[in-house]
Each structure stands twice: as C-alpha cells, then as structure tokens.
Amino acid sequence: TKANNYFEKNALKIVWKYLTDSAVDPLRREFVDTAEPLASKISPSSFDNSEGVQVVKFANVPTSQLASVKPKFFEVLRKVIEGGFDMK
C-alpha cells in the first residue's frame, strides 16, 4: 500500500489486531496457544516508506520447526479468508 493511504494503513492495523491480539484470535491460537506451540509470540509491524511494508515476526520458533512456519501462516490466512471474519 502507498505509505500515505490512511484508510488502508488503519484497515491493516485492524486486521492484524483481529489475527493476533488475544488467545482466541486465529494466528495466536494456531501458533502460540496450543499444546505444542510453534512460537511464543507473534508481532506484526508495518514500515512506511514510499510503499508500506507488512512484517510478521514469530518469536522463539524451534529451529526444527522453522520451515513449517511460513506454510502454516498462509494456511491460517487462507482459512480466515474463506471462513470470513467473526468480529463478535
């Protein structure tokens, strides 16, 4: 997104909050709050240059599980997109 697009930047903040903010949110539920967590924390951030950049950091991922983070991340996003957002 263009760095000066206020609407898109705020929309992305809301989406990241929905995906990661509490124990019932999709990314946190799948990566952190499980019997065998893949990460201890998920931290989304954005950087505004001429184009905006979205970054997601996964903390304390076991070395043996590094390769599984990216496919699982996109799998969870796909499920959210297909199932819709439950903002209740």
Side-chain angles (χ1 to χ4, degrees):
T1 64
K2 293 287 185 192
N4 62 357
N5 190 323
Y6 179 79
F7 176 78
E8 287 184 17
K9 288 188 337 187
N10 283 303
L12 284 167
K13 284 181 186 178
I14 292 168
V15 169
W16 285 122
K17 188 170 182 76
Y18 170 79
L19 291 170
T20 63
D21 198 47
S22 76
V24 297
D25 294 333
L27 289 173
R28 187 163 159 192
R29 183 179 63 236
E30 294 291 328
F31 283 92
V32 178
D33 296 328
T34 67
E36 295 182 32
L38 286 177
S40 62
K41 184 178 180 181
I42 301 172
S43 303
S45 2
S46 62
F47 300 95
D48 296 328
N49 298 313
S50 60
E51 294 285 329
V53 176
Q54 301 295 308
V55 175
V56 183
K57 297 176 189 174
F58 294 84
N60 300 312
V61 176
T63 306
S64 62
Q65 297 295 321
L66 286 173
S68 65
V69 171
K70 183 177 176 180
K72 185 171 180 101
F73 172 75
F74 285 107
E75 175 188 330
V76 172
L77 290 183
R78 182 185 50 76
K79 287 179 183 177
V80 169
I81 291 167
E82 290 174 354
F85 287 78
D86 181 5
M87 299 299 281
K88 294 179 183 178

